[in-house]
Amino acid sequence: MNDTFLLDEKMISLVNGCEKEVQSTFKRQEEICTYNSLKVLSAFHKNKINEAHFNATTGYGYNDLGRDAIEQVYADIFKSEAALVRSQFISGSHALTVALFALLRPGDFLLSITGTPYDTLHEVIGIKENSSSLKSFGVLYDEIDLKENDFDYQKIEEYLKNHSVKVIEIQRSKGYSTRKSISIEKVEKVVNFIKKINQEIIIMVDNCYCEFVSKKEPIEVGCDLAVGSLIKNLGGGIAPNGAYIVGRKDLIHLCAERLTLPGEGAEVGPSLGINKSILQGLFLAPSVVLSSLKTAILTSKVLGELGYEVDPKYDEERVDIVQNIIFHDKDKLIKYTQGIQSSSPIDSMALPLPWDMPGYSDQVIMASGSFTQGSSIELSCDGPIREPFIAYQQGSLTYEYGKIALIHATSFLGEKHEN
Ligand SMILES: *Cc1c(COP(=O)(O)O)cnc(C)c1O
């Protein structure tokens, strides 16, 4: 069709064959997508979303009707008391940071019960030395690893009986680890368990990559706060930046006062003209998440058929949009990632190479040919250069582009000495 595309005939027929075999898995996600679409539309109706909400504020951002309506829509979708949805959050990690600094005071205790948190939080917490970390303010921290891909109930119970913990963090998606991501049912079970031991503990969830993958979200199952990025699932590929925090009203208030300033909180923060994009992205988000999931499912099936180890398996229940391919081979990880980059709409001519990244301890290779910088609801693939050489692939704004990229990247993988 075009010289820039490597569409091996064998791969085309393999992918088409696999596509037929994954239809019932697609169906399961399609049903969840319809359910979540209804959730979104109901929240739009309930809050009477209209053209006036697209208007921008500048400067201080007082009386931003659209911003306030967006936050009410988010609160309704998450069944939470309140929400903070702002472009002043520069990333998901920033929103997590704001939440942690909002909730914790010197001498307070933070406990992670899903092992070591996401890489970018290491300097925030003080796992890695930083003179602006929570640790530098005298906030204590500890972590309990997962046990056989579930919470270590016995250790959690012992710990809570012997320590005065203020905040518990649960990270659902696996990040750059090899564990399984945590389903909403597992979150519900552990939350009930914790609240029976101590009603006062604040449970905060890193919900990145999990939104709209299942029918329920963390606040519905008893969590106090959930946090995520708008250049992942909920932005639908349209939101230009930002992040959200949803949950208990008193805690959202603390987060708002930390994000802006004590005394002004959520009353300030200009939307600068992005309200329409945030609403439109949210409107599309269930379908875009579905496209990502279908791309992940097909990828899992095809790479599995080609003999590679994959996680999750194509027909396994999905908790997030991330698909792992465990290459056990550095060159194959690099080649596949380059294949994804070269089938992207943007920067297709760039050749990604392993590189040192701020906040990450190993070299990382990243393919991200996205309209929005760093957006990973758009098809992207990355991985740390360490054993067992795992590609973390996620996203695709449409299934068809995902499928084309998969054919191209697997064709590329088969090529011995090409770029
Ligand atoms: C993406 C992600 C974050 C936040 O990342 P940002 O790039 O800062 O938005 C945090 N936790 C997990 C598990 C993630 O996947």
Side-chain angles (χ1 to χ4, degrees):
M1 211 180 333
N2 181 323
D3 295 345
T4 69
F5 262 105
L6 207 56
L7 302 174
D8 184 324
E9 283 301 331
K10 281 205 295 276
M11 288 304 165
I12 295 173
S13 71
L14 174 68
V15 170
N16 284 331
C18 286
E19 190 179 45
K20 291 201 182 81
E21 290 179 50
V22 299
Q23 288 303 316
S24 63
T25 313
F26 280 5
K27 267 236 132 34
R28 206 161 64 203
Q29 287 306 147
E30 283 161 5
E31 197 252 323
I32 294 172
C33 173
T34 306
Y35 182 91
N36 285 320
S37 300
L38 183 59
K39 227 195 262 184
V40 171
L41 197 55
S42 304
F44 274 55
H45 290 184
K46 186 172 164 220
N47 292 287
K48 302 186 168 59
I49 296 303
N50 63 79
E51 208 174 357
H53 294 134
F54 301 160
N55 290 338
T57 57
T58 55
Y60 297 136
Y62 293 135
N63 303 315
D64 193 315
L65 295 181
R67 182 196 67 206
D68 296 348
I70 287 167
E71 290 179 342
Q72 197 49 55
V73 165
Y74 264 70
D76 289 338
I77 288 170
F78 279 92
K79 301 185 172 59
S80 66
E81 288 176 4
L84 197 58
V85 185
R86 300 291 166 119
S87 66
Q88 282 79 20
F89 288 127
I90 58 106
S91 64
S93 303
H94 182 212
L96 287 160
T97 302
V98 166
L100 290 169
F101 275 89
L103 302 177
L104 294 156
R105 299 287 178 273
D108 283 347
F109 215 118
L110 168 67
L111 176 68
S112 162
I113 57 169
T114 42
T116 309
Y118 194 68
D119 299 53
T120 53
L121 294 180
H122 295 186
E123 288 184 54
V124 174
I125 294 168
I127 298 168
K128 193 174 168 207
E129 214 51 53
N130 185 301
S131 51
S132 299
S133 68
L134 286 164
K135 190 178 165 198
S136 79
F137 285 90
V139 173
L140 305 162
Y141 169 77
D142 209 348
E143 59 193 39
I144 296 174
D145 281 331
L146 292 167
K147 190 178 160 190
E148 287 149 19
N149 285 310
D150 202 347
F151 295 100
D152 192 336
Y153 283 89
Q154 201 187 332
K155 278 216 177 115
I156 293 171
E157 183 167 23
E158 274 168 28
Y159 207 93
L160 297 184
K161 291 201 162 137
N162 294 310
H163 299 83
S164 168
V165 172
K166 170 98 170 271
V167 177
I168 285 184
E169 204 229 8
I170 296 173
Q171 180 187 312
R172 294 186 60 200
S173 188
K174 70 190 98 168
Y176 279 161
S177 79
T178 52
R179 68 164 167 94
K180 291 272 180 195
S181 296
I182 310 281
S183 71
I184 199 74
E185 290 77 20
K186 281 183 180 159
V187 172
E188 180 163 28
K189 195 168 154 224
V190 84
V191 167
N192 289 334
F193 181 79
I194 293 164
K195 296 276 177 178
K196 259 186 215 132
I197 300 170
N198 182 350
Q199 188 76 40
E200 299 298 309
I201 293 179
I202 298 165
I203 300 175
M204 171 182 147
V205 177
D206 176 350
N207 205 33
C208 281
Y209 285 141
C210 298
E211 302 92 349
F212 289 162
V213 175
S214 319
K215 290 186 180 175
K216 280 188 178 176
E217 300 292 340
I219 307 303
E220 294 170 67
V221 300
C223 298
D224 298 293
L225 222 50
V227 184
S229 165
L230 297 198
I231 60 169
K232 293 182 177 175
N233 301 20
L234 290 188
I238 305 289
N241 85 325
Y244 74 87
I245 308 179
V246 292
R248 251 166 60 187
K249 197 172 170 188
D250 58 330
L251 306 180
I252 293 294
H253 178 70
L254 287 171
C255 292
E257 301 242 312
R258 178 48 55 218
L259 172 65
T260 67
L261 60 155
E264 297 190 19
E267 303 292 316
V268 292
S271 58
L272 302 172
I274 70 164
N275 286 343
K276 182 182 166 206
S277 304
I278 291 184
L279 285 165
Q280 197 168 3
L282 180 63
F283 180 71
L284 293 175
S287 299
V288 175
V289 168
L290 175 62
S291 298
S292 298
L293 287 166
K294 286 169 73 176
T295 302
I297 290 162
L298 188 65
T299 300
S300 180
K301 176 70 179 165
V302 169
L303 274 291
E305 288 293 318
L306 287 170
Y308 297 100
E309 198 183 322
V310 289
D311 179 46
K313 303 256 188 314
Y314 79 94
D315 56 353
E316 242 176 280
E317 195 198 339
R318 301 264 157 181
V319 169
D320 58 23
I321 62 167
V322 183
Q323 178 63 45
N324 285 6
I325 308 145
I326 301 123
F327 283 109
H328 295 287
D329 181 324
K330 179 179 166 182
D331 293 333
K332 288 206 162 136
L333 166 62
I334 293 172
K335 202 102 182 119
Y336 184 81
T337 307
Q338 291 174 342
I340 293 294
Q341 180 76 39
S342 60
S343 51
S344 301
I346 314 299
D347 291 336
S348 60
M349 62 295 181
L351 189 71
L353 294 169
W355 214 255
D356 294 310
M357 300 277 297
Y360 298 88
S361 42
D362 294 281
Q363 281 202 328
V364 177
I365 185 162
M366 287 197 172
S368 174
S370 54
F371 289 88
T372 297
Q373 189 189 102
S375 166
S376 47
I377 188 62
E378 301 181 51
L379 183 61
S380 50
C381 179
D382 42 62
I385 304 297
R386 65 173 179 241
E387 289 282 355
F389 302 106
I390 305 174
Y392 294 78
Q393 179 187 296
Q394 58 275 316
S396 195
L397 295 182
T398 77
Y399 167 65
E400 290 71 20
Y401 288 123
K403 180 180 168 185
I404 292 168
L406 176 62
I407 297 171
H408 175 73
T410 49
S411 303
F412 208 79
L413 195 58
E415 294 285 296
K416 289 282 178 269
H417 303 288
E418 289 267 353
N419 273 333

